[in-house]
Amino acid sequence: MAARRGAELLRPPTSSGRATFLELFFDLAFVVALTRLSQRFADLRDDTGWVLVEGFGRTLLLFLGLWLIWSHTTWITSRYEPERAVIQAVVVGTMFAGLIMAVTLPRAMEERALPFAVAYLTVIVVRPLVIAVALRGHPRRLVPLRLATWAAATAPLWLAGAWGPERLRLPLWAAALAVDYVAWALGWPVPRLGASAVNRWRIAGTHLADRYQQMFLIALGESVLVIGVIFSGTDYSTERAAAFTVSFVTSALLWRIYFYRAGLLLTEALGRAGMPGRLGTALERTHLLIVFSVIVTSVGYELVIDDPFGPPRPTWLLFVVGGPVLFLLARVRLEHEIFGRVSRSRMIGIVALLLLTPALARGAPMVGLSVVAGVLALVAVLDALRSRARPSEVPSPPIGRATSGDRDPEA
């Protein structure tokens, strides 16, 4: 009887699988978080050497913490019925914790470390316990119990980093976050209970595709917000107007390159995969890179619009060129996951940017951003030429093919 009541939380076969309005509401907290992250990156504009590396590492760690929260929530709403009151309460509670993490981000590695860590731990420890209780006697309750066990094990590292000396915060939190990610990859193995590999879970593929596409658009929207805010807050000039225009064109090209065509076919690819959980796991890692690359690129917009023809600095090169290179690398990975091939046009773009980097390092930021936009436009044109007069491709993901022994009673 308890197992039957717990089964009511699972997504029924008749579920549409589409993302709900509640989840879009939930994403608003992460809109705030992404703007705060880009601001932390922008604050590194005058740093060099080890100070720049450490500052970049601190902000990257905060992003990875936020991504883990968002990804876990996405998988929860992909496996459980989001119309159930318990799941809705979990999503809203996670949104509040995410908002706390967002508002503490500007100083989360400094004096606001404790509220950031407590909000993170509340989600990663308490949330799975709530779900486990709601599942009652259903076999799936063991999955959140495993997750809570591992999260509780890393909690002392998070709290020690928040309360301890600031110089120890980065290594302690990096160790804790590394364990959280490794545990997720291994399926949170626990003595006697074993592990529950995420790539063997039963998921709503349509829902997962929706969420990844939406998160990419949120990151892209944040970049557009940066363009508008920075340009509206500076003195108007022809040079800044040109930087504003090129920045927008670059964002539009990122949108085009992502959705043509692999990004557009996530739903169909997950539907064709015998084990959609396996493909979904790979897509999660790919979209982590894609979203992060868009954030990094948006910081480049801010630096260029603020001073289009200022002196060349290593910092702006990291964002203006490094962000698009990482985006193209992640997009190559996405192409392979959807079609089982390597994208030649994107490889051409990566090689072109890497070869041009030494020359761009000696030029003005505006020149670098314009060259990046030109290379991205070349990638988009090559894509269009390749598909001209050809029938639309059908996804053939090499990841997610079912084999014997893939079924998991807890999945």
Side-chain angles (χ1 to χ4, degrees), residues 9 12-13 32 65 71 73 89 110 114 118 134 140 219 304 350 361 364 401 410:
L9 257 64
V32 178
S71 294
T73 306
E110 292 80 25
L114 185 59
V118 170
R140 273 199 193 178
V304 175
I350 293 168
R401 292 170 181 166
E410 299 174 14

Side-chain angles (χ1 to χ4, degrees), residues 340-357:
R341 65 157 187 262
V342 174
S343 170
R344 285 182 292 180
S345 63
R346 288 155 187 81
M347 291 302 300
I348 291 172
I350 293 168
V351 172
L353 288 176
L354 292 178
L355 290 177
L356 290 168
T357 296

Side-chain angles (χ1 to χ4, degrees), residues 58 160-161 164-173:
R58 286 170 174 258
E166 187 175 325
R167 68 179 184 278
L168 297 179
R169 189 162 298 143
L170 180 59
L172 286 173
W173 281 11

Side-chain angles (χ1 to χ4, degrees), residues 38-113:
S38 64
Q39 186 55 55
R40 276 193 68 104
F41 276 127
D43 290 341
L44 303 174
R45 69 181 69 196
D46 297 321
D47 294 336
T48 58
W50 175 249
V51 176
L52 174 61
V53 173
E54 184 179 17
F56 193 92
R58 286 170 174 258
T59 308
L60 173 60
L61 184 146
L62 296 174
F63 167 76
L64 292 175
L66 284 164
W67 181 264
L68 193 67
I69 297 297
W70 183 87
S71 294
H72 279 191
T73 306
T74 295
W75 281 76
I76 286 171
T77 51
S78 185
R79 283 163 57 77
Y80 303 107
E81 179 52 64
E83 299 301 327
R84 293 289 177 182
V86 172
I87 301 302
Q88 290 181 343
V90 164
V91 172
V92 172
T94 302
M95 179 183 178
F96 182 66
L99 192 58
I100 293 174
M101 294 171 69
V103 299
T104 60
L105 268 173
R107 304 293 295 173
M109 296 297 293
E110 292 80 25
E111 69 272 9
R112 295 184 184 177

Side-chain angles (χ1 to χ4, degrees), residues 149-379:
T149 300
W150 275 88
T154 61
L157 291 175
W158 285 101
L159 295 175
W163 272 319
E166 187 175 325
R167 68 179 184 278
L168 297 179
R169 189 162 298 143
L170 180 59
L172 286 173
W173 281 11
L177 196 60
V179 172
D180 288 339
Y181 270 92
V182 170
W184 186 12
L186 297 178
W188 305 282
V190 174
R192 296 188 180 182
L193 294 180
S196 178
V198 178
N199 58 18
R200 294 167 62 186
W201 286 359
R202 297 183 182 91
I203 59 168
T206 299
H207 175 269
L208 210 59
D210 274 1
R211 298 300 287 135
Y212 289 149
Q213 291 167 338
Q214 288 163 1
M215 193 58 182
F216 168 71
L217 288 174
I218 287 171
L220 209 57
E222 188 274 337
S223 74
V224 174
L225 178 64
V226 166
I227 294 170
V229 170
I230 297 302
F231 186 56
S232 65
T234 59
D235 295 332
Y236 289 96
S237 67
T238 303
E239 292 81 4
R240 288 195 173 109
F244 168 81
T245 302
V246 175
S247 296
F248 174 78
V249 169
T250 303
S251 285
L253 288 167
L254 294 180
W255 166 82
R256 163 71 178 180
I257 292 170
Y258 171 83
F259 280 108
Y260 189 89
R261 287 191 28 92
L264 190 65
L265 298 176
L266 297 186
T267 300
E268 189 175 345
L270 283 163
R272 287 176 171 270
M275 294 294 293
R278 186 170 297 163
L279 178 57
T281 302
L283 290 173
E284 181 273 328
R285 296 164 187 159
T286 300
H287 282 80
L288 183 156
L289 296 174
I290 289 174
V291 170
F292 183 69
S293 69
V294 173
I295 296 171
V296 171
T297 303
S298 71
V299 177
Y301 301 156
E302 180 173 349
L303 300 182
V304 175
I305 294 174
D306 186 54
D307 192 6
F309 292 95
R313 289 175 293 185
T315 306
W316 76 261
L317 197 65
L318 175 66
F319 297 108
V320 173
V321 180
V325 167
L326 180 59
F327 174 82
L328 290 175
L329 284 169
R331 187 55 181 74
V332 167
R333 176 184 165 110
L334 181 64
E335 191 87 1
H336 180 265
E337 290 164 349
I338 302 302
F339 295 115
R341 65 157 187 262
V342 174
S343 170
R344 285 182 292 180
S345 63
R346 288 155 187 81
M347 291 302 300
I348 291 172
I350 293 168
V351 172
L353 288 176
L354 292 178
L355 290 177
L356 290 168
T357 296
L360 296 179
R362 297 191 294 270
M366 180 63 184
V367 175
L369 184 61
S370 300
V371 170
V372 167
V375 171
L376 294 177
L378 173 64
V379 172

